[in-house]
Amino acid sequence: MATKKQGGLADVIAGQTAISTVGKQGKGLSYRGYSIDDLAREAAFEETAFLLIYGKLPNSTELSQYKKKLHGLRKLPAGLQLILEQLPANAHPMDVLRTGVSALGALEPETDEHNHYLIADRLLASSASMLLYWNHFHASGIRLDTETDNDSIAGHFLQLLHGHPPDPLHEKGLDASLILYAEHEFNASTFAARVTASTLSDVYSAVTTGIGTLRGNLHGGANEAAMALIDAFTSPSEAEIGILQMLQHKKLIMGFGHRVYSVRDPRSDIIKIWSKKLSEEKNDSRLYLISERIEQIMMQEKKLFPNLDFYSASAYRLMGIPTSLFTPIFVISRISGWVAHVIEQRANNRIIRPNAEYVGPEPSPWLSIDQRS
Ligand code: COA
């Protein structure tokens, strides 16, 4: 009988949460009891962020006030603009966001008045501004006005990126994707953010911890890595040959598999429909068909299903978003989940400090420097 792989805290219940539940019976995801399918279909990202951070769905007055509030928090302080200008043009946008969030923590530090709720809203509202201020400054020397008239974070991002009001389908698709990326229980970056919060550190430190942890290809970086994979093929048949070869060489196929889900990732089904819709709108199904073939081969050869990152890649490309901004979009959304977890951790805190099994050398007598080999 095959033995189960050890390590990585797999199957360990590391704490309690009331924010989301993931993967019951191998599938399913809900945020505070509301299914991801209903949220992605019916809600706006701002509504979802409010649900996660403030613990209830906003009524219509609360939602319009919340959107107005976020709209008013998009401007960057001059000190932060200066810092973004100093970062190199070839920096990875994840480095830019990590630095931007950290700098904002020094410019607008957490206090009893400027508390975790206000900071969550400020970061949600201004992270697209940070990213695209830096992007435009280095691409064309423009000091971007980061206030737009678009009232959604998705629309604001696309408008800042492209310099014109977004196509409504793109705005809706990006909004749905932000909802899907917002929260995912004790994933690596959220757990890391909770560890930081558990030491009584500030909320900006917890969010920068989250950004650093999200960046890797096994976590949030997978959407950029999946795009690179799909881009390597010009047709479905080429993709089939390429993936079979990669599997033969025991390579990881980015955007597939999941620690918690065993049957399917419910978020993938939703973003796949968006990827198809966007392909049809553009009358360009090449990326979608290559992606579908990769999905078929992965199921046939490895019984592995796509996770959220896989079809997000083609969906974002079809919205005209550069690949290096894919993982930063994940950050913009996940700030809501990270801060919700920081708030939850703080409400019933005990420092997170597990034990390790020692596998090092037995105690040995001290060696003075001339006794050492
Ligand atoms: N491509 C190829 N093989 C994969 C794979 C993938 N994407 N994901 C898992 N496998 C294989 C593993 O190599 C392992 O095989 P082995 O038992 O022969 O070593 C087996 O499936 C079980 O996977 P395991 O390593 O136990 O998974 P994990 O729970 O430790 O890791 C992920 C989960 C998500 C990190 C892993 O599936 C992965 O690396 N996926 C690609 C990166 C990605 O898309 N990340 C985003 C996650 S939302």
Side-chain angles (χ1 to χ4, degrees):
M1 202 173 75
T3 50
K4 219 170 171 195
K5 222 167 162 178
Q6 298 293 305
L9 297 181
D11 301 322
V12 170
I13 307 250
Q16 293 185 322
T17 184
I19 301 170
S20 67
T21 180
V22 174
K24 291 282 172 289
Q25 291 105 36
K27 52 189 176 183
L29 169 64
S30 61
Y31 299 168
R32 298 205 186 270
Y34 297 99
S35 90
I36 193 69
D37 301 273
D38 290 343
L39 286 162
R41 194 181 55 248
E42 305 289 345
F45 171 64
E46 291 74 8
E47 215 171 338
T48 307
F50 188 101
L51 171 70
L52 292 170
I53 297 165
Y54 295 92
K56 70 180 268 286
L57 278 175
N59 62 32
S60 72
T61 313
E62 286 167 333
L63 181 58
S64 61
Q65 279 172 354
Y66 190 51
K67 287 182 102 168
K68 208 163 149 201
K69 180 183 182 192
L70 294 174
H71 192 277
L73 291 170
R74 291 173 176 172
K75 205 170 157 116
L76 303 177
L80 178 51
Q81 291 178 336
L82 211 60
I83 288 167
L84 294 170
E85 289 173 19
Q86 299 306 312
L87 298 177
N90 63 355
H92 192 286
M94 285 296 278
D95 291 337
V96 173
L97 259 190
R98 193 190 58 230
T99 307
V101 169
S102 185
L104 201 64
L107 293 163
E108 301 175 1
E110 183 171 11
T111 61
D112 287 347
E113 294 73 42
H114 191 55
N115 61 23
H116 46 222
Y117 291 107
L118 293 177
I119 293 167
D121 296 341
R122 176 73 163 130
L123 289 175
L124 279 173
S126 66
S127 44
S129 305
M130 291 178 203
L131 207 54
L132 293 158
Y133 182 90
W134 166 82
N135 185 64
H136 285 289
F137 182 80
H138 290 289
S140 45
I142 294 169
R143 290 196 161 89
L144 191 69
D145 174 4
T146 56
E147 289 177 288
T148 67
D149 55 5
N150 194 299
D151 79 337
S152 79
I153 289 173
H156 175 62
F157 176 92
L158 290 171
Q159 189 157 329
L160 287 183
L161 176 65
H162 297 308
H164 56 74
D167 175 326
L169 190 71
H170 293 186
E171 182 174 344
K172 184 77 195 89
L174 184 59
D175 193 71
S177 140
L178 294 178
I179 292 170
L180 299 175
Y181 268 132
E183 161 58 12
H184 217 215
E185 199 220 51
F186 278 16
N187 62 90
S189 59
T190 301
F191 189 65
R194 282 188 82 126
V195 171
T196 299
S198 82
T199 69
L200 303 184
S201 187
D202 69 302
V203 66
Y204 292 100
S205 297
V207 172
T208 44
T209 298
I211 296 173
T213 311
L214 188 78
R215 186 184 172 160
N217 282 0
L218 297 189
H219 192 6
N223 57 13
E224 293 180 22
M227 191 72 256
L229 173 82
I230 297 162
D231 271 338
F233 307 117
T234 58
S235 67
S237 50
E238 209 182 275
E240 179 166 344
I241 297 166
I243 296 295
L244 287 171
Q245 279 171 352
M246 287 177 77
L247 290 177
Q248 233 175 15
H249 291 100
K250 304 239 168 283
K251 294 221 169 110
L252 274 182
I253 308 300
M254 290 301 166
F256 283 83
H258 202 275
R259 168 61 64 77
V260 176
Y261 298 119
S262 55
V263 179
R264 65 184 179 94
D265 178 340
R267 306 166 301 170
S268 171
D269 300 351
I270 301 169
I271 200 67
K272 182 177 176 183
I273 292 170
W274 273 105
S275 173
K276 185 154 195 258
K277 224 186 268 191
L278 291 158
S279 309
E280 284 163 359
E281 182 229 22
K282 225 176 166 201
N283 210 6
D284 178 0
S285 57
R286 197 180 63 86
L287 290 176
Y288 182 79
L289 293 174
I290 291 173
S291 304
E292 252 199 340
R293 183 68 66 89
I294 297 174
E295 181 183 356
Q296 284 159 11
I297 300 297
M298 288 302 285
M299 186 44 70
Q300 172 194 304
E301 299 295 315
K302 299 281 293 182
K303 298 270 171 296
L304 283 174
F305 50 87
N307 56 51
L308 172 58
D309 293 314
F310 188 65
Y311 281 99
S312 297
S314 50
Y316 288 168
R317 170 68 59 78
L318 289 158
M319 293 174 202
I321 299 172
T323 307
S324 63
L325 296 181
F326 289 7
T327 316
I329 291 175
F330 192 158
V331 171
I332 294 172
S333 158
R334 187 57 63 88
I335 285 167
S336 57
W338 288 332
V339 181
H341 278 273
V342 169
I343 294 169
E344 184 175 65
Q345 179 67 34
R346 285 175 168 182
N348 188 18
N349 188 54
R350 189 171 184 208
I351 191 168
I352 298 173
R353 201 294 186 200
N355 294 336
E357 179 192 0
Y358 181 66
V359 293
E362 290 301 313
S364 60
W366 174 247
L367 292 176
S368 65
I369 200 145
D370 51 345
Q371 292 175 306
R372 299 174 205 165
S373 56

